[in-house]
Every structure is written in C-alpha cells, then in structure tokens.
C-alpha cells in the first residue's frame, strides 16, 4: 500500500510541474483511463473525460488538458487498499473555448498491477458540471 501511495503522490507532483513523461512511466502499457461502461460525460463528449487506452491514449488526455486553464488543484486526502488508492481533491479550471469555469471536489481511483504500475484510473465527479462546462 505504501508503494502505491508513493506512486500516486509522484503522479500528482509530476502533474503539478507538467512532467508528463514521469506520469507515463508509472502506467502499464495497456492502462485504461476513464474506462466506464455507462458515463454521462462520455456520452456527451466531454473531451477531458473520454475513455483512453494505453500510454498513447493518456498522452492524448494530457494534450486536451493543455488546452484548459488550470486555476487550482489540491489533493485533500489519499486512502489506500491492497491494489487501489483513492484520492480526494479540489479542482478549478477554465475552458477558453467555451468561456466557462468549473470548480468541484472530486475523487480519483487508481488501480495497480502486481508490478506496481497503474492499470486503471477512474474519475468520480459531478458529470453535469463537466458537461455544462464543456458545452458552454
């Protein structure tokens, strides 16, 4: 569990500094990013919440994020189980294309394989806020 907590902390530190290669290094080659069976934001086409697969897909996610204006991101708490870490955080960002802003308290759920690589990320959020922000 401690190794997984350290990995998630390292991912958030890399995110804060824009070090995308450091994040990709923590992921399995076939990572599932925002992999959901039935997600309203994905059905509405919210670009930053679309499902992505593999490191190339995650890199596309970060390209989308590069088009947003991140105003605040703070991890509030981390909770670990055997092969998962949950992160509670606050985020605020603006979408220049729509002129909208979003502020929310959300959760990430990170899942790890036996080698300590991230195999899945799920983002638990208020999808209605994200849809409204994306659609302008």
């Amino acid at each position: 569990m401690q190794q997984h907590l350290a990995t998630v902390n390292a991912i958030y530190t890399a995110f804060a500094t824009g070090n995308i290669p450091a994040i990709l290094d923590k992921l399995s080659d076939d990572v599932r990013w925002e992999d959901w069976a039935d997600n309203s934001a994905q059905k509405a086409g919210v670009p930053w919440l679309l499902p992505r697969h593999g490191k190339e897909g995650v890199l596309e996610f970060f390209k989308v994020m590069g088009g947003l204006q991140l105003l605040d991101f703070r991890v509030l708490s981390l909770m670990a189980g055997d092969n998962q870490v949950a992160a509670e955080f606050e985020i605020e960002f603006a979408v220049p294309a729509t002129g909208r802003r979003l502020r929310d308290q959300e959760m990430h759920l990170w899942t790890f394989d036996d080698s300590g690589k991230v195999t899945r990320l799920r983002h638990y959020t208020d999808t209605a806020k994200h849809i409204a922000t994306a659609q302008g």
Side-chain angles (χ1 to χ4, degrees):
M1 280 190 273
Q2 292 303 318
Q3 174 192 358
H4 300 327
L5 283 170
T7 298
V8 170
N9 270 319
I11 288 171
Y12 289 130
T13 298
F15 178 72
T17 61
N19 188 352
I20 305 310
I23 296 171
L24 296 176
D25 185 56
K26 307 285 186 210
L27 310 180
S28 71
D29 290 336
D30 61 346
V31 64
R32 294 170 312 181
W33 198 265
E34 298 292 2
D35 188 32
W36 293 90
D38 188 28
N39 182 287
S40 299
Q42 290 175 349
K43 289 178 181 179
V46 175
W48 53 89
L49 293 178
L50 293 177
R52 309 206 188 261
H53 298 94
K55 291 181 180 183
E56 301 80 19
V58 175
L59 188 56
E60 288 300 315
F61 162 78
F62 284 111
K63 288 179 183 176
V64 169
M65 289 299 294
L68 305 178
Q69 182 184 12
L70 188 62
L71 304 169
D72 186 31
F73 183 86
R74 286 179 284 144
V75 176
L76 303 174
S77 66
L78 296 174
M79 299 153 275
D82 290 337
N83 72 331
Q84 293 184 310
V85 173
E88 177 188 20
F89 62 95
E90 289 183 347
I91 189 167
E92 182 175 6
F93 62 87
V95 181
T98 65
R100 297 241 184 183
R101 289 171 69 137
L102 178 137
R103 180 162 190 78
D104 203 3
Q105 292 181 337
E106 304 177 351
M107 299 283 295
H108 282 154
L109 180 62
W110 302 90
T111 302
F112 293 85
D113 64 16
D114 291 338
S115 69
K117 296 285 188 176
V118 174
T119 59
R120 184 181 73 186
L121 168 77
R122 281 195 173 176
H123 186 169
Y124 295 83
T125 185
D126 183 337
T127 55
K129 283 184 181 181
H130 283 267
I131 292 166
T133 303
Q135 294 178 348

